Amino acid sequence: MSQHRHGSTPGEAGGVPAFPDLPEATIARLPEYLRALHHLAETGAETVSSEGLAAAAGVNSAKLRKDLSHLGSYGTRGVGYDVTLLVDQIEYILGLDKNRAVCLVGVGNLGHALAGYAGFASRGFRVVALFDADPKKVGERINGLTVQHIDELDRVAAEESIAIGVIATPPGTAQAVADALVAAGVTSILNFAPGVLAVPPNVDVRKVDLAIELQILSFHEHRKASLTALPGGRTAEADNQEAVGS
């Protein structure tokens, strides 16, 4: 979930627009295509059809072809897409060739788990610093990094050229942390704390709220139950069970 979407600067690199003005939905699907392509590459596949890649990514093939056309990638009739080339194109568009420096603020239960996640490095990100305001957590070693006090954020952000900050604090302190990240020159924030952050127009925020995702799933469960409901509040399942028992 994104709070911001800004325009792009056109450019060319290897025949692919450097910063194409992609629809938000397409941007959200590119990492899914990349995950599927990495898996295909690991199995030794050199090419993949649009149908095969769409199935691996969980989308329909027409949508995939439209998404990839934004990148200038149309595949070859009868052959499909070159897996290695498409990986390079998507990683370039997503900026994953930059090996971006990331910091994490808040090393409670969630932050601790995020700090220990080994998958960031294989996807183009370096977690270079961990911060917390709790003196009891400062100095703790997690996945090879020492937790530093939040007061060190300005200095470390400048030294490490931190581009992305991850907020894993309680909601009451998230805005203050966002302000500190912005003041330190961080222009992209991934926020795990509930609530909406107020940030300048040049700062992009993505929000991950697990409670909201569960509520959305609850809606779908409610809808499915409503669709199967019969007059009088009975359900098809209950009727079937009674029929079997009679």
Side-chain angles (χ1 to χ4, degrees), residues 65-88:
R65 286 192 293 270
K66 184 175 181 181
D67 286 341
L68 297 185
S69 71
H70 289 297
L71 313 186
S73 184
Y74 298 92
T76 303
R77 184 179 297 276
V79 177
Y81 297 94
D82 182 296
V83 170
T84 299
L85 177 60
L86 195 50
V87 165
D88 288 345

Side-chain angles (χ1 to χ4, degrees), residues 100-235:
R100 299 188 188 280
V102 178
C103 72
L104 171 70
V105 184
V107 289
N109 291 335
L110 175 59
H112 205 287
L114 291 171
Y117 177 58
F120 293 128
S122 63
R123 291 297 180 264
F125 302 96
R126 294 179 295 116
V127 178
V128 298
L130 308 175
F131 299 100
D132 205 287
D134 186 351
K136 295 180 181 178
K137 293 186 172 68
V138 174
E140 181 181 353
R141 294 281 294 178
I142 305 174
N143 201 26
L145 293 172
T146 300
V147 178
Q148 303 180 70
H149 195 275
I150 188 65
D151 290 346
E152 299 294 318
L153 176 58
D154 278 353
R155 176 185 61 79
V156 177
E159 291 177 354
E160 298 286 352
S161 299
I162 293 173
I164 301 173
V166 179
I167 299 177
T169 66
T173 57
Q175 182 61 58
V177 170
D179 293 342
L181 288 167
V182 171
V186 175
T187 54
S188 291
I189 296 173
L190 179 61
N191 180 32
F192 282 88
V196 177
L197 300 176
V199 296
N202 68 315
V203 176
D204 289 288
V205 177
R206 296 285 298 182
K207 182 171 69 172
V208 180
D209 191 323
L210 300 181
I212 287 179
E213 299 303 323
L214 287 172
Q215 289 168 355
I216 293 171
L217 289 174
S218 177
F219 160 78
H220 289 296
E221 286 299 309
H222 189 190
R223 179 178 58 82
K224 287 183 283 190
S226 299
L227 290 174
T228 58
L230 297 176
R234 299 164 62 83
T235 65

Side-chain angles (χ1 to χ4, degrees), residues 47-65:
T47 60
V48 60
S49 67
S50 58
E51 291 79 9
L53 181 54
V59 302
N60 67 63
S61 58
K63 185 177 293 184
L64 176 137
R65 286 192 293 270

